[in-house]
Amino acid sequence: MIGVHHPPRQRGIFITVEGIEGVGKSTQVKLIADYLRSRDQSVVETREPGGTVVGELIREVVLNKVPAKMAPTTELLLMFAARAEHLDKVIYPALAAGHCVVSDRFTDASYAYQGAGRGIAQSRIAILEDYVQGNLRPDLTLLLDAPVDIALARANHRGVVNRFEEDEDLRFFEAVREGYLELARIYRDRFRVVDATQPIGKLMDQIRGYLTPLLP
Ligand code: TYD
């Protein structure tokens, strides 16, 4: 495909961490990266939307309050625009150099939020996924799962609210959570669902158990 760069071969391990707000993804991303480093892996930690200069600017547009409501398709395309940049500048080069990439969210978030949450057909998202990523998919996706009320209470406690947290009601996040769980049922090979309400030590033990088989 003209203009879309896909690496010939994927060498590093690509791990994504998903879940609704407040389930503790950013903490787990750090702990996962530390664990991988302790196993002699070089690790790139990153996040979506963002992870690049252009991506962080798109993040501002999509997450911070803009004076007008955005059409769901606009939101979806911005997520994929940020992702195209993220792949080009961060993910492909890191994987090609043999690094592990640990990303706080990736395309499953588009299926869950713009698909299950906003109601965009999964088949439309799949077209963008194929266009932007070719056949690149994560090697492992950890879905941190928690009931919506518990997760949102934690997110609110953090004090910073983005456009989703401010504008959407519980039903939106219920739909997003269900969307994620449905993806985990469909893509059983790469998804692992972990209970985000268990004590952090137990959670990390479980996650380590999922990481170890991927390591050399
Ligand atoms: P962020 O502040 O990173 O939330 P968290 O710390 O909980 O991960 O905000 C990311 C937001 O972007 C989150 O509300 C989900 C949303 N999002 C999408 O709607 N679609 C996407 O494809 C991605 C990557 C994120």
Side-chain angles (χ1 to χ4, degrees):
M1 238 182 293
I2 296 165
V4 180
H5 162 73
H6 301 307
R9 195 161 69 92
Q10 182 187 341
R11 282 184 289 148
I13 303 165
F14 183 25
I15 297 163
T16 59
V17 182
E18 298 281 359
I20 59 172
E21 4 282 287
V23 291
K25 287 185 307 303
S26 47
T27 306
Q28 289 308 321
V29 165
K30 287 193 192 75
L31 293 174
I32 290 165
D34 290 346
Y35 173 66
L36 293 171
R37 289 188 185 108
S38 79
R39 297 287 311 264
D40 296 325
Q41 302 296 304
S42 56
V43 183
V44 173
E45 285 169 62
T46 187
R47 68 167 182 181
E48 287 203 355
T52 64
V53 175
V54 171
E56 292 293 331
L57 289 170
I58 295 175
R59 181 186 176 89
E60 277 300 300
V61 173
V62 85
L63 292 189
N64 293 335
K65 275 170 284 171
V66 282
K69 257 202 177 287
M70 197 180 288
T73 303
T74 312
E75 188 177 273
L76 177 70
L77 290 170
L78 286 172
M79 295 296 180
F80 270 98
R83 185 161 300 130
E85 195 65 12
H86 194 208
L87 285 160
D88 185 66
K89 299 288 190 302
V90 178
I91 299 176
Y92 286 149
L95 293 177
H99 304 310
C100 295
V101 174
V102 186
S103 187
D104 185 340
R105 301 187 184 280
F106 190 62
T107 306
D108 296 306
S110 300
Y111 281 102
Y113 284 78
Q114 283 68 49
R118 301 271 193 241
I120 296 181
Q122 308 278 313
S123 56
R124 286 185 175 247
I125 303 174
I127 292 168
L128 292 174
E129 181 179 38
D130 290 344
Y131 178 63
V132 170
Q133 322 165 199
N135 56 16
L136 178 80
R137 299 292 180 274
D139 298 299
L140 174 68
T141 300
L142 294 164
L143 173 55
L144 303 184
D145 182 57
V148 170
D149 51 349
I150 295 177
L152 289 190
R154 282 201 212 166
N156 287 334
H157 189 69
R158 227 170 28 188
V160 200
V161 286
N162 67 35
R163 201 164 52 82
F164 288 90
E165 292 160 71
E166 189 169 83
D167 293 352
E168 301 308 331
D169 57 15
L170 286 183
R171 266 177 315 168
F172 175 81
F173 289 103
E174 292 288 0
V176 173
R177 181 188 184 201
E178 261 317 303
Y180 270 133
L181 290 169
E182 178 66 15
L183 289 166
R185 285 189 284 270
I186 299 172
Y187 302 106
R188 318 170 72 91
D189 287 353
R190 74 175 163 89
F191 261 90
R192 295 291 175 267
V193 183
V194 289
D195 173 1
T197 64
Q198 63 189 316
I200 189 135
K202 277 194 172 178
L203 187 68
M204 200 53 216
D205 282 348
Q206 194 184 349
I207 291 178
R208 272 192 212 108
Y210 295 137
L211 295 173
T212 309
L214 296 176
L215 298 175

